[in-house]
């Protein structure tokens, strides 16, 4: 027996250069070598050591960056790893990675070691590994030669079944008694490679013998891991085991007869697999041939008892053989939604594509429309992304499917009926719906031709189909109503019908296959039959969006995981608890809280059923109720970021977030009664029969008492829960074998391993947790007396016999295993544990003790053997010496004969050499001739292929050239069309332009003619008018006399009211003037100031009076329209002067307002600082008066600081005032410059307008002198002069704007802050904008004044515009005056406040000095600073 090291991933490495694994974000674990360790910082420096073929056999799905460079040094923290040490590699002395077929044999058993062991096996083309009796299958993504041949099948059958294991139930129980880890040490150590044939053989051998029971093989893994292929291989092996025998004994006659009878049954069972793949598999993003349903297949075996070794004496031992007698299949959760929709890169179920790829004759026989149809002809199918599945095309797969269906009895009319049902599904997808033009609430089928095709294939009238798809019958309180469906609802009804037809078709097919493979029972003895169940179920699923199907799938996987954990870990926990060993907590692998959350009486399924029963049930309400009921459940994920229809569950493989938006519809899975009744009338017998059954079920359900419970039982989750529960009950009654399938990479490449993806699957399968428990458990155990008897010889000291046996064993093992304890984290890991009846050893430790015991025995046995062998050798030597002499004689004779034989052999070899040379020459000659012929033949073939390729390239080149020339010709044609269009547009434009000129000339001629004719008509009309006026005058005079008498009284009354109102206005004006004079008199301090104020008031009043008078005249004239005979042009000149005065006054007042605002701001700052100083002075005086010395000292310091601050602030204020005055002067200077510039521009414009006015006057005089002959020519000159005037006005405005831009830029450069710039620019901007508006309006009016009567402009309209402008200017001037007076008042008050504060500060200083000197005399020290202050002011 060889020694076996103890398994641990925390074996300490004291020497540098140890090979370890380190964590990586991209690859999870990467190999490295230890360079150095630092115990103080608990870190290690490692060098990355990647294999030479790392890139070719490693893939990743992470976005993290990774440096592929070897010998790259990295510093790692040892505290981040279990036990504070890096996991060691499983490598030999030369650094080569050790790959073990049984991972329990790995020296260092940990996560990284398992990963790299599987990776090494996969890269070597070995798909199968073993963890105890669990087979781990890595999908190789390729066909491996001789892996599944008949020799390999016989090998495992002979080793496990016929090799003595069939009667080894006692040995099996003994092995299990020696091992406590039931999952990994149920069987003795095997010496052959792991294979799934090993699992099938063990399941077969467990059908008979002691402890025989039904068997179950659980095949698990994610989509693409190879579950379906594994089940097919295992099923094929199980059906053939009975045909193999061990070769020692010939098979009995009864076995031969039973096998012959079951050959047809075996063929049917194996032929059912391609049928299930065609109808239940589809292409997904993860797998080209993914099973979209779960399947549990029970293979029924009949136990046949036979006798063996007929010629042996004594009782004949019995031998059992199991022969396949039937099969039964149960399916779960078919993905019906795939029938009506699938992702763009996925496919529908294979059978649709196979049907469309079938021969044309068969398609035309099924349906005429199908003969010329392709996959693109049907919306449910669409263009397939691939057409090769399992190395075969869809047409080849159809041939296999049709053959297998015929083998099961589905042929002829039955096959045509089933295919036509599939055509009904395809045609349903082509129906499109839209709103009825006559009624928006009603939906109709838009493509009636497609509806006609559907009517033909279903055998139902189009009107009945249309009504069933667009209407719904609702029964309420015994009354039946028809409800019109919307477009979305009609589409849902169509999809529901298609899904229901496919589901019923699939169920019918499963029942038919079960009936064909059931077989016949030969007797009624139940004990003579055993079952082997094969479970191919969906793997654990977690997508970006997880729906109802994922919840059901993961619920089933939770059940299987619970079964796996209970079988493999619960017995281990129970044994340790019975022995009093506290090793691990089963809660780490116990997922029973999930079932409380999902399947309890208030679980998710129950809440979902209740929500489905409500009329207005929705996903948000379901999620809210579920979270409220299970808020304390640890298995429910609680996150605030979840949406109102989202919830999470903590599964054994990780947290999964579900979107419950479609849970209600999926759980109901309902179809309307109208569709059921319509489909029941179909001429397709398969569809009509199935839907008649469905209709009867609906009727029975409506008549059942306790309808709520009956409805709940029809919900999808309830039915699935019942199916899973019954399945687990069957599995619990059997012995379970496990096959864990692993998908090494998502790209499905051979020899490549994705670390992250593989570790996730290992964790989901529970292998990492199981191996961790194995690493921490004690797999080997012995009784106390056995340990003491076997290993007492290893102790160099004597053990006292007076002590207890348990203490003796403890002393014995402690002495032998001294120094083998290890620190794992904060705990100590001991190599053995003492139970109540047994001693438990770490994995590999018992083999080490046995090796040491064997070495000790070997040492003593060798000495005994040497003595015995010496005696035997002496006796043999004496007898042999006598025989040697005789032997020598015969030996010499033999040598002589040998020499003669050698001479003969040499001659024979020379002769053979000559013959070989001759034959070689002849063969070379014939070979040369043949090679020349072959060379010529190859050249001919290569030339033919090359010529074919050249012709193909030539054809393609010509096609490309023709296409390119066609493109150039199209471009040239487009360019010619554009040129011709441009020419046509130019032609039309020129024609239109000339026509416009002609129309203008025509219009001018008509105007002249009109004027001339109007003049002639006016002269004749005036003569008639004078005669008419004489008559009208007498009549009007008589009428006016009567009207004057009536209006005279009204006029007198209005005059009276008008005079009183005018007197009241004059009185108010006089009163305001008096109040203003009084106010000025009160404010004035001397005569000069009073005279100036009165003069300013009188001047402003005079201006206001003149303006008001002009406004009154203008308003009167506007109302009377020149009734008084006043010339409007004179009024316009006066208005022009008034506007100039108002604009100037407004500008001056606004500049004064801005100056006063700045003075008020500085005065307020000064008042604030003086108030602060005054407060400090008063506080100092109070403190001195109260004789508080400490307070006086503080106040002195504060007063000194305040005085310093005040002085500084006064200096700052003075400098600010000086800078403000300078700034104000500069600003005023700039404003004056801007005014002068604008005035100059204005004068230039006035001069130009005056000159143009003179020219106009001259032209007008010339027109009057010359008469009517040159009237037209002079009018043209007048128009040109007006254009020149407009241009001069535009130039003036541009100059003003340029000056304004220059001024704004200058102000912006001088301003220090944005606020200062805004405060300085606001008044200027307002004045300038208002001025520009006034200037523009005034220029327009001035032009009219210049033109005078030369144009047809109405002076009264100009006068109205002047009136509005004057009113606006007057209002602005009034507001600015009020603001200016208010600001002046504020400035005056601020100055008085400053004066009082200065006085108070001086008084406070004088009082402080007087108090300090302690001789205060009234007025002595106070009046002096007061006089100084007055003098300074």
């Amino acid at each position: 027996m060889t020694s076996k090291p103890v398994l641990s991933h925390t074996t300490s490495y004291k020497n540098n250069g140890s090979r370890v694994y380190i964590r990586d974000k991209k690859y999870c674990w990467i190999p490295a070598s230890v360079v150095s360790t630092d115990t103080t910082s608990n870190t290690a420096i490692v060098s990355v050591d990647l294999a030479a073929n790392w890139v070719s056999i490693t893939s990743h799905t992470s976005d993290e960056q990774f440096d592929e460079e070897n010998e790259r040094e990295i510093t790692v923290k040892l505290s981040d790893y279990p036990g504070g040490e890096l996991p060691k590699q499983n490598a030999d002395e030369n650094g080569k990675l050790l790959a073990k077929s049984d991972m329990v044999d790995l020296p260092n058993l940990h996560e990284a070691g398992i990963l790299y062991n599987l990776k090494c096996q996969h890269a070597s083309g070995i798909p199968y590994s073993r963890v105890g009796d669990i087979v781990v299958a890595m999908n190789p993504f390729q066909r491996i030669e001789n892996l599944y041949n008949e020799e390999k099948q016989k090998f495992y059958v002979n080793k496990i079944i016929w090799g003595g294991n069939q009667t080894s139930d006692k040995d099996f129980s003994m092995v299990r008694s020696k091992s406590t880890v039931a999952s990994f040490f149920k069987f003795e150590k095997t010496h052959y490679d792991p294979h799934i044939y090993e699992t099938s053989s063990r399941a077969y051998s467990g059908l008979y013998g002691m402890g025989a029971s039904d068997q179950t093989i659980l095949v698990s893994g994610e989509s693409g891991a190879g579950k379906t292929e594994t089940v097919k291989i295992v099923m094929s092996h199980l059906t053939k085991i009975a045909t193999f025998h061990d070769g020692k004994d010939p098979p009995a006659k009864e076995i031969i007869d039973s096998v012959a009878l079951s050959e047809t049954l075996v063929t049917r069972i194996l032929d059912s697999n391609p049928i299930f793949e065609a109808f239940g598999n589809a292409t997904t993003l993860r797998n080209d041939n993914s099973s979209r349903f779960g399947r549990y297949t029970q293979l029924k075996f009949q136990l046949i008892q036979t006798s063996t070794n007929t010629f042996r004496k004594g009782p004949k031992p019995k031998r059992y053989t199991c022969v396949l007698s039937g099969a039964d299949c149960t399916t779960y959760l078919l993905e019906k939604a795939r029938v009506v929709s699938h992702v763009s890169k996925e496919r529908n179920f294979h059978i649709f594509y196979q049907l469309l790829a079938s021969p044309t004759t068969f398609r035309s026989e099924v349906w005429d429309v199908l003969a010329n149809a392709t996959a693109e002809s049907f919306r449910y199918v669409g263009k397939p992304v691939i057409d090769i599945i399992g190395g075969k095309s869809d047409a080849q797969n159809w041939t296999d499917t049709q053959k297998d269906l015929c083998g099961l009895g589905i042929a002829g009319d039955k096959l045509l009926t089933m295919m036509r049902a599939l055509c009904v599904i395809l045609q349903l997808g082509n129906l499109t719906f839209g709103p009825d033009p006559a009624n928006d609430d009603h939906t109709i089928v838009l493509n009636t031709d497609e509806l006609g095709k559907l009517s033909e294939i279903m055998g139902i009238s189009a009107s009945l189909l249309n009504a069933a798809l667009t209407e719904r019958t609702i029964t309420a309180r015994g009354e039946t109503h028809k409800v019109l469906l919307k477009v979305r609802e009609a589409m849902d009804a169509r999809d529901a019908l298609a899904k229901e037809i496919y589901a019923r078709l699939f169920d019918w097919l499963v029942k038919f296959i079960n009936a064909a493979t059931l077989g016949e029972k030969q007797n009624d003895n139940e004990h003579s039959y055993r079952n082997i169940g094969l479970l191919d179920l969906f793997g654990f699923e977690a997508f970006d969006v997880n729906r109802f199907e994922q919840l059901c799938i993961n619920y089933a996987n939770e059940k299987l995981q619970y079964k796996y954990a209970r079988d493999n870990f619960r017995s281990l926990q129970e044994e340790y608890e019975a022995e009093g060993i506290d090793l691990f907590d089963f809660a780490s692998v116990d997922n029973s809280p999930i079932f409380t959350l999902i399947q309890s009486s208030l679980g998710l399924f129950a809440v979902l059923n209740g929500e489905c029963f409500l009329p207005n049930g929705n996903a948000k309400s379901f999620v809210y109720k579920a979270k409220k009921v299970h808020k304390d459940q640890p298995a429910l994920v609680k996150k605030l970021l979840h949406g109102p229809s989202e919830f999470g569950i903590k599964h054994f493989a990780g947290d999964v977030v579900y979107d419950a938006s479609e849970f209600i519809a999926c759980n109901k899975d309902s179809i309307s009664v109208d569709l059921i009744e319509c489909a029941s009338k179909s001429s397709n017998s398969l569809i009509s029969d199935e839907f008649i059954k469905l209709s009867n079920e609906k009727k029975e359900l409506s008549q059942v008492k306790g309808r709520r419970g009956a409805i709940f039982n029809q919900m999808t989750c309830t039915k699935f829960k019942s199916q899973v529960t019954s399945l687990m009950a069957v599995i619990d009654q059997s012995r379970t074998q496990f096959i864990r399938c692993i998908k090494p990479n998502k790209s499905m490449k051979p020899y490549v391993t994705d670390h992250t993806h593989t570790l996730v699957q290992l964790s989901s399968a529970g292998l990492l947790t199981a191996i961790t428990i194995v690493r921490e458990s004690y797999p080997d155990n012995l009784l106390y007396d056995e340990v003491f008897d076997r290993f007492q010889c290893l102790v160099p000291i004597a053990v006292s016999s007076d002590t207890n046996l348990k203490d003796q064993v403890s002393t014995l093992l402690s002495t032998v295993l001294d120094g083998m304890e290890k620190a794992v984290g904060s705990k100590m890991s001991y190599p053995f544990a003492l139970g109540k009846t047994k001693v438990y050893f770490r994995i590999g430790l018992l083999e080490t003790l046995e090796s040491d015991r064997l070495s000790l025995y070997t040492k003593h046995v060798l000495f005994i053997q040497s003595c015995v062998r010496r005696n035997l050798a002496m006796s043999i030597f004496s007898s042999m010496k006598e025989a040697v002499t005789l032997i020598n004689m015969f030996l010499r004779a033999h040598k002589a004969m040998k020499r003669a034989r050698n001479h003969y052999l040499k001659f024979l070899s020379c002769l053979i050499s000559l013959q070989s040379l001759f034959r070689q020459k002849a063969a070379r000659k014939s070979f040369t001739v043949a090679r020349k012929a072959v060379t010529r033949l190859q050249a001919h073939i290569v030339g033919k292929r090359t010529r074919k390729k050249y012709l193909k390239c030539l054809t393609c080149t010509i096609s490309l050239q023709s296409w390119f020339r066609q493109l150039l010709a199209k471009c040239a044609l487009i360019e010619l069309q554009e040129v011709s269009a441009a020419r046509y547009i130019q032609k039309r434009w020129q024609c239109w332009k000339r026509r416009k000129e002609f129309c203008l000339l025509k219009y001018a001629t008509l105007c002249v003619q009109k004027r001339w004719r109007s003049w002639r008509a006016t002269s004749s009309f005036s003569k008639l008018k004078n005669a008419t006026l004489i008559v009208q005058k007498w009549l009007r005079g008589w009428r006016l006399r009567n009207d004057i008498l009536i209006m005279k009284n009204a006029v007198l009354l209005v005059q009276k009211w008008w005079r009183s109102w005018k007197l009241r206005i004059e009185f108010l004006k006089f009163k305001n003037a008096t109040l203003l004079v009084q106010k000025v008199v009160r404010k004035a301090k001397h005569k000069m100031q009073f005279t100036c104020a009165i003069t300013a008031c009188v001047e402003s009043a005079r201006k206001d009076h003149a303006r008001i008078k002009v406004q009154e005249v203008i308003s009167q004239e506007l109302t009377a329209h020149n009734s008084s005979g006043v010339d409007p042009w004179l009024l316009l000149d006066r208005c022009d002067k008034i506007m100039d005065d108002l604009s100037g006054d407004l500008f001056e007042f606004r500049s004064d307002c801005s100056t006063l605002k700045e003075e008020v701001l500085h005065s307020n700052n000064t008042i604030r600082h003086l108030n602060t100083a005054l407060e400090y002075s008063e506080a100092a005086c109070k403190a001195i008066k109260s004789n508080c010395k400490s307070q006086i000292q503080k106040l002195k310091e504060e007063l000194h600081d305040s005085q310093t601050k005040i002085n500084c602030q006064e200096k700052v204020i003075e400098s600010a005032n000086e800078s403000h005055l300078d700034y104000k002067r500069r600003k005023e200077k700039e404003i004056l410059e801007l005014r002068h510039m604008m005035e100059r521009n204005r004068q230039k414009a006035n001069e130009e307008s005056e000159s143009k006015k003179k020219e106009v006057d001259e032209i007008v005089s010339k027109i009057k002198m010359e008469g009517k002959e040159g009237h037209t020519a002079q009018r043209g000159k007048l128009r040109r002069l007006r254009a020149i005037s407009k241009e001069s006005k535009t130039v003036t405005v541009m100059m003003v704007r340029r000056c304004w831009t220059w001024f704004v830029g200058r102000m912006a450069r001088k301003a220090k802050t944005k606020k200062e710039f805004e405060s300085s620019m606001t008044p200027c901007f307002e004045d300038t904008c208002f001025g520009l508006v006034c200037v523009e309006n005034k220029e327009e009016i001035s032009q009219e004044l210049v033109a005078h009567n030369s144009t047809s402009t109405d002076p009264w309209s100009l006068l109205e515009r002047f009136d509005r402008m004057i009113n606006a200017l007057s209002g602005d001037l009034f507001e600015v005056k009020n603001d200016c007076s208010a600001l002046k008042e504020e400035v005056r008050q601020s100055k008085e406040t400053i004066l009082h504060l200065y006085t108070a500060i001086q008084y406070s200083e004088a009082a402080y000095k007087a108090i300090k000197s302690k001789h205060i005399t009234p007025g002595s020290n106070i009046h002096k600073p007061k006089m100084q202050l007055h003098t300074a002011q």
Side-chain angles (χ1 to χ4, degrees), residues 116-128:
Y116 277 84
N117 187 76
L118 291 174
K119 179 180 179 181
C120 185
Q121 292 280 91
H122 181 60
S124 302
I126 303 173
Y128 299 116

Side-chain angles (χ1 to χ4, degrees), residues 731-786:
I731 294 176
D732 289 339
Q733 294 176 2
S734 62
R735 184 181 297 169
T736 309
Q737 311 283 340
F738 295 94
I739 298 177
R740 298 295 191 184
C741 296
I742 305 294
K743 184 179 180 181
N745 59 81
K746 294 183 178 180
S747 56
M748 294 183 287
K749 296 179 181 178
Y751 308 116
V752 178
T753 304
D754 185 344
H755 291 189
T756 305
H757 191 57
T758 304
L759 281 178
V760 169
Q761 293 176 81
L762 290 174
S763 177
S764 300
L767 291 176
L768 293 179
T769 305
I771 293 173
T772 303
I773 293 175
V774 170
R775 184 185 62 220
E776 296 177 357
S777 63
Y778 301 95
D780 299 320
N781 61 82
L782 288 174
L783 296 174
Y784 281 104
D785 53 355
E786 292 179 356

Side-chain angles (χ1 to χ4, degrees), residues 593-605:
I594 293 290
F595 307 129
T596 305
L597 175 65
I598 296 177
Q599 68 178 18
S600 63
S601 58
L602 293 176
L604 296 179
F605 284 168

